[in-house]
Amino acid sequence: MSNADATIESLADMDAPDPAAPIDASDDRQREIDDLKDKHLRLAAEYDNFRRRAAKERQEAGWRAQGELVRGLIDAIDDITRFAHVDPATVDSKTVVDGVLLVEKKLFKSLAGHGFEVLDPTGQAFDPNLHEAVSTQPAPLPEEDGMVAVCFQSGYVINGLVLRPARVIVKQWTGA
Amino acid sequence: MSNADATIESLADMDAPDPAAPIDASDDRQREIDDLKDKHLRLAAEYDNFRRRAAKERQEAGWRAQGELVRGLIDAIDDITRFAHVDPATVDSKTVVDGVLLVEKKLFKSLAGHGFEVLDPTGQAFDPNLHEAVSTQPAPLPEEDGMVAVCFQSGYVINGLVLRPARVIVKQWTGA
């Protein structure tokens, strides 16, 4: 028997001064209490570690998601870099404009893969969650009341998050 | 006393058939064991909930991070849309190219705010983690061995993640 065991033994003896008491049952319970406390402490420590890791992982998930998104833009970025550095004396306007149109398509297609949408609500019902009314104009018919007449700046939405509302003119029925 | 309390009382009585046993101490310990088990179960349930929520939050953190990044690109996207739809018959090549150059600057500036870097390692030491050697050329001096001679495609890095290595020609010293 080691010295440590001997010490534990003598401490256990001190806990049971009454010889009539059910020493074994009492010891079992004390052991169970110790085990439970130990188990609880370990779980609490694990939970704490997880919490700390979770905060770090949220941050990393953000970076990773941004990396994935930008990876999809590389092709468009390359094209922009190319057209930004052509010589306007040798490349005509139509070629550059066609190039930029292609960049626009690539950009929107790639971003669409991440839940990005361009809002042009012309002819649709005005939605204050997605559109900003900058002005109104009379509606020729009562059923056109609240419809978007003109969208003069597109809105942008990504994954349900409005990055910018569409700026619109809304038709208003003012009575016959 | 409620019925439930009466039941618990009678169950406790059944646990202590020996009148000489220290009933109060035993009851206290049983109560402590029950409390500890209860506490442990509650912590385990809380931990479990947290874990479930953490997975969801990682996903949301990714979307939020992407939203923030794209929000910063709106200005550049607007410009691209504008230049993609000008009439090349009335807008000259230089105006469009200057516009695209401005877009490039806005784009890189905004992305730089999210840890994005353009790699052009011309004249630097070749780094296999960031560069891809597509060819070699003789180094005129031994100390230029392993230096990048030409970078013919920029690399892109975001937050330490290589989106694309820079494609380069490396100088190689082959002996005098």
Side-chain angles (χ1 to χ4, degrees), chain A residues 33-45 47, chain B residues 30-48:
Chain A
I33 288 172
D34 291 346
D35 283 354
L36 284 168
K37 281 183 177 169
D38 187 52
K39 214 169 118 188
H40 190 75
L41 280 178
R42 269 183 290 126
L43 184 66
Y47 185 10
Chain B
Q30 189 54 51
R31 212 170 294 126
E32 193 175 354
I33 288 171
D34 292 346
D35 282 354
L36 284 168
K37 282 182 177 167
D38 188 54
K39 213 170 119 187
H40 191 74
L41 280 178
R42 270 184 289 126
L43 184 65
E46 194 190 317
Y47 184 10
D48 207 48

Side-chain angles (χ1 to χ4, degrees), chain B residues 118-127 130-131 144-151 166 168-171:
Chain B
V118 179
L119 304 177
D120 178 352
T122 309
Q124 297 171 18
F126 174 72
D127 179 347
L130 301 172
H131 315 145
E144 285 180 37
D145 183 61
M147 303 300 274
V148 172
V150 181
C151 170
V168 301
I169 297 176
V170 185
K171 292 187 212 174

Side-chain angles (χ1 to χ4, degrees), chain A residues 22 26 29-30 37 40 46-47 50-51 57-58 63 65-66 78 81 85 91 93 104 156 159 164, chain B residues 22 26 29-30 39 46-47 50-51 57-58 63 65-66 78 81 85 91 93 104 156 159 164:
Chain A
S26 172
R29 296 204 158 173
Q30 189 54 50
K37 281 183 177 169
H40 190 75
E46 194 191 320
Y47 185 10
F50 186 88
R51 229 183 328 217
E57 278 174 3
R58 263 200 307 279
W63 286 341
Q66 289 181 333
D78 275 341
T81 300
H85 298 278
V91 182
S93 186
E104 186 197 32
Y156 297 126
N159 278 314
R164 181 178 73 191
Chain B
S26 172
R29 294 203 160 174
Q30 189 54 51
K39 213 170 119 187
E46 194 190 317
Y47 184 10
F50 185 87
R51 229 180 329 215
E57 278 176 3
R58 263 199 306 279
W63 286 341
Q66 289 181 334
D78 275 342
T81 301
H85 298 278
V91 182
S93 186
E104 186 197 33
Y156 297 126
N159 277 315
R164 182 178 72 192

Side-chain angles (χ1 to χ4, degrees), chain B residues 6-171:
Chain B
T7 306
I8 287 166
E9 190 98 332
S10 67
L11 282 171
D13 284 347
M14 281 170 67
D15 262 354
D18 182 3
I23 296 175
D24 285 347
S26 172
D27 277 3
D28 280 356
R29 294 203 160 174
Q30 189 54 51
R31 212 170 294 126
E32 193 175 354
I33 288 171
D34 292 346
D35 282 354
L36 284 168
K37 282 182 177 167
D38 188 54
K39 213 170 119 187
H40 191 74
L41 280 178
R42 270 184 289 126
L43 184 65
E46 194 190 317
Y47 184 10
D48 207 48
N49 276 338
F50 185 87
R51 229 180 329 215
R52 244 190 295 267
R53 216 166 49 232
K56 200 166 159 264
E57 278 176 3
R58 263 199 306 279
Q59 169 95 77
E60 288 169 354
W63 286 341
R64 206 166 37 244
Q66 289 181 334
E68 279 161 25
L69 187 136
V70 177
R71 192 189 291 277
L73 301 181
I74 282 184
D75 215 24
I77 292 172
D78 275 342
D79 286 353
I80 289 168
T81 301
R82 198 169 300 126
F83 288 111
H85 298 278
V86 297
D87 179 1
T90 59
V91 182
D92 66 31
S93 186
K94 185 169 176 355
T95 305
V96 187
V97 172
D98 285 352
V100 180
L101 191 64
L102 198 70
V103 168
E104 186 197 33
K105 277 187 189 153
K106 280 184 184 175
L107 205 61
F108 285 159
K109 195 183 167 193
S110 175
L111 289 174
H114 297 281
F116 182 84
E117 287 169 73
V118 179
L119 304 177
D120 178 352
T122 309
Q124 297 171 18
F126 174 72
D127 179 347
N129 297 312
L130 301 172
H131 315 145
E132 184 190 323
V134 289
S135 177
T136 59
Q137 70 179 46
L141 294 165
E143 55 267 37
E144 285 180 37
D145 183 61
M147 303 300 274
V148 172
V150 181
C151 170
F152 60 87
Q153 190 179 51
S154 301
Y156 297 126
V157 171
I158 188 164
N159 277 315
L161 174 76
V162 179
L163 298 175
R164 182 178 72 192
R167 308 189 77 209
V168 301
I169 297 176
V170 185
K171 292 187 212 174

